[in-house]
Amino acid sequence: MQKFNISRGNYFYAIGLSYKKADADIRGRFSLDDDAKHALLKQAKDNTIESLVVISTCNRTEIYGFAQHPYQLIKLLCENTQGSVEEFQKVAYIYKNKDAIAHMFRVGSGLDSQILGDFEIISQLKKSVKLSRKNGLLNHFSERLTNAVIQASKRIKTETNISSGATSVSFASVQYIFKTIEDVSNKNILLFGTGKIGRNTCENLVKHTQNNHITLINRTKNKAEKIAGKFNLIVKDYANLQEELSNTDILIVATGAQRPTIDKHIIQSKKPLLILDLSIPKNVNENVEELDNVSLVHLDHLSQITDETVEKRKADIPLAETIIEDIKLEFNSWLETRKFAPTIKALKLKLAHFASAELDTQRKKLNDFNEAQAELISNNIVQKITNHFAHHLKDDNSSTDDSLELIKKVFQLEEPSKTNV
């Protein structure tokens, strides 16, 4: 196991669950809204965890952080969600050190998304990093790693066809509407919830349906008004939800609430109603399916919808993986530098001490001692020696660990702290 001086005595872990093994109900139990994220980060800091990044989307909930044991991170997740440790163990994954690094690259690059090439995850990662930094929970390692993942995501998006076609649930929902509903442009569409998925869905609806009968409702009305102003849509008060449902042909729910906001009791109309629930946890009670006129579709079903470009996108996976490996190589090179940086620093201090002692001796011996010139020469020699050792340690043909031990032994350097990564 290689060791790097990144975090004293801890390993880097990625723990979490995703659509691959956890259904929507389980993912809902482990989802984290903004308040829960803040509480989790505060608890992590109180427990002296030095770096932590939390991601919670409709498809996954993950924690990337340093700990002596992964249970520390699992405990944080379970204590701030409705999920239990037993439930987590049935569907979860735990990655350590380089496997954790590799996992973050795949997630951030859209290769692990429910819809291949869904790059909405990268904006979630950026937001999570910003929150961790604000809470003082982002060390140099995590900062550098997340920046590398963001760089990989940008390159894959521009240099491959991974993001062509339907690459998000919001677009897949519009596709589903087209395939299921005739004469979409003349149907009454109600969008309930204007968070990120709601906004994206709204934009896709306006762009692809040519529909002038789209109404927005949000608990916070001014948020809906901002979106409505952009697309010239209608906004109704939350209090009018039941009334609007009676006039609706297609209801899209993306409210982000922690419990259902729609159930059969507020649906009074007898005309056909298609409901798309794009939320985690589910925001539509399954009891609506007891109504003969209602069809309910959840995002897990929408995510299985592919279009004619899916095979083309799959064909670019090897190229995307090559890009990831290139950037991961750069990141690993930085890790190697971090590995011997403390020893080089200690060596430079030792050599500077030697030089200072010799300058003191010569200062006492020589009456015409040139202070400035002597210091300039000694500083240059110290820098050249340390640079020489640094280049040697970077050489792939040399054993870094053996060289470090020899340098520390010869110059009697203090043993720097080590961390397993």
Side-chain angles (χ1 to χ4, degrees), residues 49 51 121 129 169 248 253 278 302 328 362:
I49 289 178
S51 187
I121 185 66
V129 168
V169 171
T248 298
V253 183
L278 309 185
L302 293 172
K328 211 161 44 164
Q362 297 303 321

Side-chain angles (χ1 to χ4, degrees), residues 1 24 41 90 111 126-127 133 195 217 241 261 278-279 288 299 306 343 361 385:
M1 178 66 67
L41 291 173
K90 291 177 182 178
L111 298 185
K126 290 177 181 178
K127 184 178 178 181
R133 186 185 297 113
I217 291 181
L241 176 61
T261 53
L278 309 185
S279 312
V288 299
L299 66 84
T306 57
T343 300
T361 300
I385 293 173

Side-chain angles (χ1 to χ4, degrees), residues 1-6 10-12 96-98 101 332-333 335-337 339 398-401 418-421:
M1 178 66 67
Q2 288 184 301
K3 296 183 177 180
F4 299 96
N5 294 283
I6 303 296
N10 292 321
Y11 296 94
F12 180 64
K96 179 180 177 182
N97 298 334
K98 292 192 173 181
I101 293 170
N332 288 335
S333 296
L335 276 183
E336 284 289 337
T337 302
K339 179 179 181 179
S398 63
S399 171
T400 305
D401 289 336
K418 290 183 179 180
T419 292
N420 297 302
V421 173

